[in-house]
Amino acid sequence: MANIILAIETSCDETSIAVFSDDNLLSLSTNTQIETFSKYGGVVPELSSRLHVDNLLYVYEAALKEADVSSKDIDYIAVTVGPGLKGSLLMGINFAKTLNMILNKTIIPINHLQAHIYSLLLDNVIKYPHLSLLVSGGHTDLVLLENELQFKSLGQTLDDAVGETYDKVARLLDLPYPGGPGIDKLAKTGQDTYNLPYPKNDLTLDFSFSGIKSAAYNLVNQKKMKNEIINKNNFAYSFQKRIITVLENKVELAKLKYQPQQISIVGGVSANSELRTTFLQNFSDVLIPRVEYSTDNAAMIGVLANQKIKNKKVNANLKINVFPDLKVENIV
Ligand code: KG4
Ligand code: ZN
């Protein structure tokens, strides 16, 4: 009999539930809070938690219906336990625990960052050693997987994450939250005319984006004070070019040092069209999840849970807890 896995993701502003039958994704149901938070210019944690409560039951029912399974069929409940917003994570975890009080099955805690990497398995085969660039709203990590489910962080951001930097620079250009897609779109018809710095473009595997963010703020403010108009397309292009160049250079450095069989970009920023094109052109054997699996979703939670079951890495006696600051290499 196939294992039925129910997967729950609520770490930030998406309420998402997926149903798997072993390796097969049967359904994915997601309610995004993006529209609400675009009015606020960013996620309001307290409101996000309340929206998860409002939506979890509907999203759950829709996922079961689409998969054509009943709650009695569920064998495992996989749930994101971190990193993310504490209140939002707790809503998903409490939902999983409540459901499990009725069903009495096994809960599988999932590290959201590891799940972003395993989102690749939804469409591809992962080859090891594998080098993954994880770029999301909250994280920027270069990760080496020597083998299945073995995560080693090679470098990370010392300050802001890439997605966060996109969001802040987008706000400066009066674009809605989340800002990544807006900058992506503007940059398509822009040119490199603004002299922004290449952030931490050195020989280490760490990143830093606060410098380019401050430079962008200073440049825009100076122009505003002089009543000069910013060409948003060119600004977006100039900003994005520097970000992508540095990401590419760091991956090249890690590739030379660790000789992976395969490279990937995962996480919300991997939806960026120019980043995708650059990596596909300049590296061989690159995997990138399709756009709907790049940003937060429960399919990646379920696919990682299934790998953990197959590799007998599920600890049935574990106490399920919330870990807002979980790192990519942390086992849960
Ligand atoms: O992985 P994700 O959905 O949530 C986190 O775990 O953080 O990533 C969200 C981030 C946001 O900062 C958003 O602006 C960025 O991904 N993003 C993009 C694009 N689409 C989403 N950044 C650049 N270009 C895009 N097309
Ligand atoms: Zn994420």
Side-chain angles (χ1 to χ4, degrees):
M1 273 286 280
N3 285 314
I4 299 288
I5 306 165
L6 183 88
I8 305 167
E9 157 62 37
T10 63
S11 68
C12 190
D13 53 359
E14 256 88 36
T15 313
S16 185
I17 296 190
V19 180
F20 276 80
S21 170
D22 289 340
D23 293 332
N24 301 311
L25 175 64
L26 299 183
S27 71
L28 173 62
S29 172
T30 302
N31 179 286
T32 177
Q33 306 170 0
I34 281 179
E35 225 170 275
T36 306
F37 294 126
S38 66
K39 288 185 215 127
Y40 292 87
V43 179
V44 182
E46 160 68 21
L47 182 53
S48 171
S49 312
R50 276 191 279 139
L51 290 171
H52 284 306
V53 177
D54 290 348
N55 292 318
L56 266 162
L57 201 55
Y58 300 111
V59 173
Y60 168 71
E61 282 170 352
L64 287 191
K65 193 167 173 217
E66 193 192 324
D68 198 19
V69 301
S70 99
S71 58
K72 290 194 293 292
D73 302 325
I74 298 169
D75 300 300
Y76 293 93
I77 303 169
V79 62
T80 304
V81 294
L85 299 170
K86 193 172 185 179
S88 298
L89 287 164
L90 269 172
M91 296 311 140
I93 293 169
N94 283 344
F95 188 83
K97 284 182 173 174
T98 311
L99 194 61
N100 205 38
M101 280 168 72
I102 304 162
L103 300 178
N104 199 18
K105 301 292 173 159
T106 304
I107 299 189
I108 306 178
I110 295 290
N111 180 328
H112 178 90
L113 301 176
Q114 297 178 355
H116 267 303
I117 298 174
Y118 272 81
S119 68
L120 296 167
L121 269 190
L122 290 161
D123 288 320
N124 302 285
V125 174
I126 302 180
K127 293 185 216 156
Y128 303 95
H130 183 96
L131 175 69
S132 190
L133 173 67
L134 167 59
V135 274
S136 72
H139 294 271
T140 308
D141 278 278
L142 258 173
V143 188
L144 183 71
L145 287 86
E146 282 285 3
N147 229 315
E148 179 119 76
L149 301 175
Q150 288 176 10
F151 305 87
K152 185 178 172 200
S153 175
L154 304 177
Q156 57 264 303
T157 181
L158 304 176
D159 39 58
D160 296 352
V162 189
E164 184 184 359
T165 312
Y166 263 91
D167 294 340
K168 287 178 176 165
V169 169
R171 207 166 163 176
L172 192 65
L173 301 178
D174 301 317
L175 300 173
Y177 169 85
I183 292 192
D184 190 355
K185 203 168 159 208
L186 283 175
K188 283 186 201 298
T189 48
Q191 289 176 8
D192 187 9
T193 59
Y194 289 97
N195 191 16
L196 292 165
Y198 284 82
K200 201 163 168 39
N201 198 17
D202 57 16
L203 295 176
T204 72
L205 297 179
D206 287 326
F207 305 86
S208 164
F209 299 102
S210 63
I212 191 169
K213 178 191 68 183
S214 304
Y217 271 74
N218 291 340
L219 216 152
V220 169
N221 287 336
Q222 277 165 17
K223 298 267 176 209
K224 278 185 182 163
M225 267 156 51
K226 290 188 209 156
N227 278 330
E228 287 174 19
I229 290 173
I230 299 277
N231 180 318
K232 289 189 187 180
N233 295 83
N234 290 352
F235 198 86
Y237 184 95
S238 306
F239 164 75
Q240 182 163 284
K241 182 182 171 203
R242 280 148 184 83
I243 298 277
I244 293 178
T245 301
V246 173
L247 294 178
E248 194 191 343
N249 288 350
K250 299 274 170 168
V251 168
E252 184 60 41
L253 278 174
K255 190 184 150 199
L256 289 173
K257 190 161 175 196
Y258 295 97
Q259 307 284 326
Q261 274 221 49
Q262 202 178 40
I263 289 171
S264 64
I265 343 170
V266 299
V269 181
S270 73
N272 185 273
S273 57
E274 187 60 31
L275 182 64
R276 294 172 92 90
T277 309
T278 306
F279 269 66
L280 290 170
Q281 269 171 3
N282 298 350
F283 294 107
S284 55
D285 216 345
V286 179
L287 298 184
I288 310 173
R290 64 172 108 153
V291 171
E292 63 262 45
Y293 299 146
S294 294
T295 48
D296 290 349
N297 67 87
M300 67 185 196
I301 307 303
V303 86
L304 175 54
N306 187 42
Q307 284 314 104
K308 285 183 149 196
I309 296 167
K310 283 205 263 186
N311 286 278
K312 303 203 170 10
K313 292 259 169 79
V314 174
N315 180 355
N317 300 318
L318 206 84
K319 198 168 174 299
I320 308 298
N321 223 325
V322 55
F323 301 103
D325 301 318
L326 207 60
K327 304 276 179 279
V328 70
E329 63 267 32
N330 291 155
I331 308 287
V332 285

